[in-house]
């Protein structure tokens, strides 16, 4: 950092580099001497609490450390500690400014800045990651790590013309950089140069053997390229290989994905057992209309959300954990691990009001209050529909639907972040089985949910956007605005934190419909499981939508 570099050269009797007009010995040198022992003690205590899992105590001490005067490295350690602790406490949004502050204090430490930028990318903040990476590049302009991260961030922000030369420079000097190769392949694929993307990926796969997560991501990207080249058998094998590699990683093996199944079963048993009738209904304090956009992943929820977000009186969530935060507030009061149905039956008005307040505080922090309708989009919150009904009895529901065959293929093809549900998508059989479990749950409980609800079919949206948009806005209770038909103009100027981030920057198209026809072997294996859902949701075997 410039200030620290100047301080290192300043003599005791020289003017202080901070610009105070005092001599260095009477200003920052004295402050540093006083602060150093205290900073070291605070850092040691904070790290001790952090290592022992005492996160609130660690957070308090890291905050004290970050608040020390001056720009010492220990201050940056305080911000990093705050960020780590907040992420461990599931407050990723709160961690972002502290990561940025730490990078500003230590731009001369390439490894630290790269780690911060990488974390910001993982948190879905490519804008912040780009700023941090560029901060470090001012100090070390040829750093392959920082160049790679800046290229990744640019590609994630859909600034492909800027991303391509940066990523190409990285590959020229560091051909084993798998992250840069995957991002550059996506840029090539986006501009329809799939042959170049395939050459790049095959060359990189031939050189990179570890870590396995990186190798898996290369195979996944290759699958997308081969699909675009219409080499469908090879594409499916590439996706299978990617999933198999990921399943064999320690992280994947440590995830118990049966927890998701048990929670769905609990919610279903509670709803079908009449649980909703046993909940006390209290008025909701917040006057805004709340809508839950749910469905199986890859069913068109992002497209539907972006159409609604283009309306001047509607705000949307882009998969933020506001519902989860409200549920955790109830669990904190009534017992962690108890089924939410039991908790809702036991909850008094004060507890319900506080949980709702937690929800709306999260919304306000992200979106402010200048809207009449808030849309909470988190597809698999479908499996919490009874909880939603009990906690927010004045809310409304939009169920996103898409041909089950296309949905399952798209989920299997995506490289999601690993958790108990997304682990299901690492193999074709478990993907299909999970679809049946989730959508079977919906069919079993939908008539018991007393919230106003509509179904929005992806295929109808891409063939008749005006008609579907009008249905959706009527359900939201807001007047028509032409801006919703040009939703893609807004998305080109904003960041969309879902796997559909590139697709929703285009006008509606039908390229993603009936892709299942390209994979007849996979469909043959899946059809016995999916057939009931094709029938239930109006998708005939020949692929033509029901009238």
């Amino acid at each position: 950092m410039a200030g620290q570099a100047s301080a290192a050269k300043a003599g005791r009797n020289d003017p202080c580099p901070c610009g105070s007009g005092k001599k260095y010995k009477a200003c920052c040198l004295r402050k540093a001497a006083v602060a150093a022992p205290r900073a070291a003690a605070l850092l040691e205590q904070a790290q001790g609490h952090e290592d022992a899992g005492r996160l609130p105590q660690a957070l308090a001490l890291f905050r004290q450390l970050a608040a020390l005067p001056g720009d010492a490295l220990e201050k940056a350690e305080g911000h990093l500690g705050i960020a780590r602790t907040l992420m461990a406490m599931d407050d990723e949004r709160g961690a972002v400014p502290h990561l940025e502050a730490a990078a500003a204090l230590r731009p001369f430490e390439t490894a630290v800045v790269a780690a911060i930028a990488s974390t910001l990318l993982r948190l879905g903040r490519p804008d912040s990651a780009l700023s941090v990476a560029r901060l470090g590049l001012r100090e070390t302009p040829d750093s392959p790590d920082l160049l790679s991260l800046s290229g990744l961030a640019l590609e994630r922000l859909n600034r492909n013309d800027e991303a391509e030369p940066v990523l190409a420079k990285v590959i020229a000097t560091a051909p084993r950089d798998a992250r840069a190769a995957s991002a550059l392949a996506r840029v090539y694929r986006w501009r329809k140069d799939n042959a170049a993307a395939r050459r790049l990926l095959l060359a990189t796969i031939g050189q990179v053997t570890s870590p396995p997560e990186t190798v898996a991501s290369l195979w996944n990207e290759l699958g997308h390229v081969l699909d675009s080249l219409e080499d469908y058998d090879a594409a499916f094998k590439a996706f299978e290989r990617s999933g198999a590699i990921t399943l064999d990683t320690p992280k994947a093996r440590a995830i118990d994905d049966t927890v998701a199944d048990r929670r769905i079963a609990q919610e279903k048993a509670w709803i079908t057992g009449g649980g909703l009738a046993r909940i006390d209904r209290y008025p909701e304090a917040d006057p805004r209309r709340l809508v839950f956009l749910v469905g199986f992943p890859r069913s068109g929820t992002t497209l539907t959300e972006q159409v609604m977000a283009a309306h001047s009186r509607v705000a949307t969530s882009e998969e933020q954990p506001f519902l989860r935060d409200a549920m955790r507030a109830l669990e904190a009061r009534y017992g962690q691990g108890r089924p939410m149905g039991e908790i809702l039956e036991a909850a008094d008005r004060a507890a319900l009001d506080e949980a709702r307040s937690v929800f709306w505080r999260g919304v306000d922090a992200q979106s402010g209050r200048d809207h009449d309708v808030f849309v909470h989009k988190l597809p698999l919150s479908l499996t919490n529909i009874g909880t939603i009904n009990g906690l927010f009895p004045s809310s409304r529901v939009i169920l996103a639907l898409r041909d089950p065959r296309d949905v399952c293929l798209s989920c299997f093809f995506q490289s999601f972040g690993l958790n108990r549900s997304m682990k299901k998508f690492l193999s074709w059989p478990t993907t299909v089985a999970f679809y049946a479990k989730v959508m079977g749950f919906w069919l079993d409980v939908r008539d018991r949910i007393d919230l106003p609800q509509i179904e929005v079919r992806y295929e109808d949206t891409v063939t008749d956007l005006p008609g579907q948009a009008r249905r959706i806005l009527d359900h939201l209770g807001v007047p028509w605005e032409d801006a919703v038909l040009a939703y893609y103009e807004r998305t080109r100027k904003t960041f969309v934190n879902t796997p559909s981030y590139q697709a929703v920057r285009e006008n509606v198209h039908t390229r993603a419909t009936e892709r299942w026809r390209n994979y007849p072997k996979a469909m043959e294996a899946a059809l016995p499981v999916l057939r009931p859902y094709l029938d239930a949701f109006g998708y005939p075997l020949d692929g033509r939508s029901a009238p």
Side-chain angles (χ1 to χ4, degrees), residues 147-149 151-152 155 163-164 166-172 174-189 196-208 214 217-219 221-222 225:
L147 284 169
S148 178
L149 288 162
L152 285 167
E155 186 270 331
E164 184 172 352
V166 175
L167 293 167
K169 181 178 180 180
V170 174
I171 296 300
R176 293 175 181 241
D177 191 321
R179 295 179 306 177
S182 291
L184 185 55
R186 287 192 293 275
V187 172
Y188 288 156
R189 183 158 55 93
R198 179 172 58 181
R199 286 194 300 272
L200 172 61
L201 290 167
L202 288 174
T204 308
I205 288 172
Q207 299 180 76
V208 176
T214 299
S217 71
L218 289 169
W219 279 104
E221 185 58 38
L222 181 61
V225 170

Side-chain angles (χ1 to χ4, degrees), residues 475-499:
H475 187 62
L476 300 188
V478 294
W480 176 262
E481 289 183 358
D482 290 341
V484 299
L485 300 181
Y487 67 91
Y488 50 89
E489 295 292 346
R490 173 185 173 273
T491 59
R492 287 171 182 168
K493 302 173 185 176
T494 59
F495 171 64
V496 179
N497 188 26
T498 75

Side-chain angles (χ1 to χ4, degrees), residues 284-290 360 369 371-373:
E284 298 170 55
D286 199 287
R288 285 170 287 183
R289 194 168 300 123
L290 176 59
W360 286 113
R369 297 186 62 90
H371 52 267
D372 300 323
V373 179

Side-chain angles (χ1 to χ4, degrees), residues 366-538:
Q366 175 197 268
S367 303
R369 297 186 62 90
D370 187 22
H371 52 267
D372 300 323
V373 179
F374 181 74
V375 179
H376 184 285
K377 175 230 177 182
L378 196 60
L380 282 176
S381 58
L382 172 65
T383 61
N384 300 118
I385 195 66
T387 300
I388 290 169
N389 200 156
L391 186 55
F392 296 102
S394 299
S395 64
R396 304 181 183 191
V397 174
I398 297 175
L399 175 73
L401 287 177
R402 184 182 177 193
D403 190 308
R405 294 162 291 194
D406 280 333
V407 170
C408 289
L409 271 182
S410 189
C411 287
F412 180 54
F413 289 177
Q414 289 303 318
S415 180
F416 292 104
L418 272 180
N419 59 35
R420 290 165 178 163
S421 296
M422 299 303 104
K423 182 179 177 180
K424 305 282 193 181
F425 301 142
L426 294 176
S427 82
W428 179 240
T430 56
T431 298
V432 174
F434 192 51
Y435 180 91
K437 183 165 295 282
V438 171
M439 301 312 290
F441 162 84
W442 170 252
L443 292 175
D444 288 337
V445 305
R446 63 181 177 180
D447 292 338
R448 297 172 182 265
I449 302 301
D450 55 20
L451 304 177
Q453 53 187 265
I454 63 169
E455 296 178 349
V456 175
R457 291 161 59 98
Y458 173 80
E459 294 82 2
D460 294 339
T461 301
V462 298
T463 55
D464 180 20
L465 179 59
Q468 285 294 87
R470 195 169 294 279
R471 282 185 67 235
I472 293 168
L473 296 188
D474 286 347
H475 187 62
L476 300 188
V478 294
W480 176 262
E481 289 183 358
D482 290 341
V484 299
L485 300 181
Y487 67 91
Y488 50 89
E489 295 292 346
R490 173 185 173 273
T491 59
R492 287 171 182 168
K493 302 173 185 176
T494 59
F495 171 64
V496 179
N497 188 26
T498 75
S500 303
Y501 67 97
Q502 291 183 329
V504 294
R505 290 186 168 98
E506 296 183 285
N507 198 351
V508 289
H509 57 78
T510 59
R511 294 194 302 272
T513 59
E514 298 196 349
R515 292 179 69 195
W516 56 267
R517 293 185 182 278
N518 301 323
Y519 296 91
K521 292 180 182 177
M523 292 304 113
E524 183 181 359
L527 190 58
V529 178
L530 296 182
R531 178 66 184 268
Y533 307 99
L534 295 172
D535 295 341
F537 299 129

Side-chain angles (χ1 to χ4, degrees), residues 92-403:
E92 295 181 342
R93 296 189 302 278
V96 170
H98 295 284
L99 290 166
E100 294 172 328
L105 288 164
R106 302 172 73 162
F108 50 87
E109 292 187 78
T110 300
V112 173
V113 174
I116 292 171
S118 182
T119 301
L120 288 165
L121 273 175
R122 183 180 62 80
L123 295 179
R125 292 298 303 268
D127 49 349
S128 296
L130 179 61
S131 297
V132 166
R134 285 179 166 173
L135 190 68
L137 284 168
R138 290 206 293 266
E139 301 282 340
T140 52
D142 294 322
S143 165
D145 281 346
L146 294 177
L147 284 169
S148 178
L149 288 162
S150 64
L152 285 167
L154 286 166
E155 186 270 331
R156 194 67 182 85
L157 290 165
N158 209 40
R159 293 161 60 177
N160 291 330
D161 289 342
E162 297 173 72
E164 184 172 352
V166 175
L167 293 167
K169 181 178 180 180
V170 174
I171 296 300
T173 57
R176 293 175 181 241
D177 191 321
R179 295 179 306 177
S182 291
L184 185 55
R186 287 192 293 275
V187 172
Y188 288 156
R189 183 158 55 93
W190 191 245
R191 61 180 174 84
K192 312 302 182 188
D193 193 352
N194 290 297
R198 179 172 58 181
R199 286 194 300 272
L200 172 61
L201 290 167
L202 288 174
T204 308
I205 288 172
Q207 299 180 76
V208 176
T209 57
S210 64
E213 293 87 352
T214 299
V215 179
S217 71
L218 289 169
W219 279 104
N220 181 271
E221 185 58 38
L222 181 61
H224 287 289
V225 170
L226 293 169
D227 177 81
S228 297
L229 289 167
E230 301 182 3
D231 190 352
Y232 300 120
D233 287 345
F236 198 85
K237 290 176 182 177
F239 289 123
E240 285 184 314
R241 186 158 187 178
S242 175
I245 292 170
T246 304
L247 273 172
D248 198 37
T249 61
K251 182 177 180 179
R253 290 197 301 269
I255 294 173
D256 181 6
D257 60 324
T258 63
V259 172
D261 299 336
R262 290 197 295 273
R263 289 183 175 174
I264 292 171
Q266 284 179 344
E267 187 89 351
K268 175 182 172 181
W270 178 68
I271 296 171
T272 57
L276 285 170
R278 297 192 292 269
I279 298 176
D280 292 325
R281 307 292 179 98
Y282 300 106
E284 298 170 55
D286 199 287
R288 285 170 287 183
R289 194 168 300 123
L290 176 59
V291 179
F292 287 89
L293 174 56
V294 299
F296 203 76
R298 310 299 297 160
S299 291
T301 51
T302 300
L303 173 59
T304 304
E305 177 198 24
Q306 292 305 314
V307 169
M308 292 186 284
H311 195 284
S312 64
R313 304 311 305 159
V314 178
T316 65
S317 68
E318 294 190 359
E319 304 197 9
Q320 295 297 324
F322 304 136
L323 177 63
R324 183 192 66 187
D325 293 344
M327 292 165 62
R328 286 185 173 178
L330 287 170
E331 288 177 332
R333 180 176 294 208
Y334 290 100
Q336 191 78 24
R338 288 182 68 185
M340 280 305 304
E342 290 183 13
I343 290 176
L344 286 169
E345 290 183 42
D348 57 21
R349 181 167 187 168
L352 293 172
D353 285 346
E354 174 56 23
R356 292 165 183 162
S357 178
V358 167
F359 180 96
W360 286 113
R361 286 199 296 268
V363 172
D364 293 346
Q366 175 197 268
S367 303
R369 297 186 62 90
D370 187 22
H371 52 267
D372 300 323
V373 179
F374 181 74
V375 179
H376 184 285
K377 175 230 177 182
L378 196 60
L380 282 176
S381 58
L382 172 65
T383 61
N384 300 118
I385 195 66
T387 300
I388 290 169
N389 200 156
L391 186 55
F392 296 102
S394 299
S395 64
R396 304 181 183 191
V397 174
I398 297 175
L399 175 73
L401 287 177
R402 184 182 177 193
D403 190 308

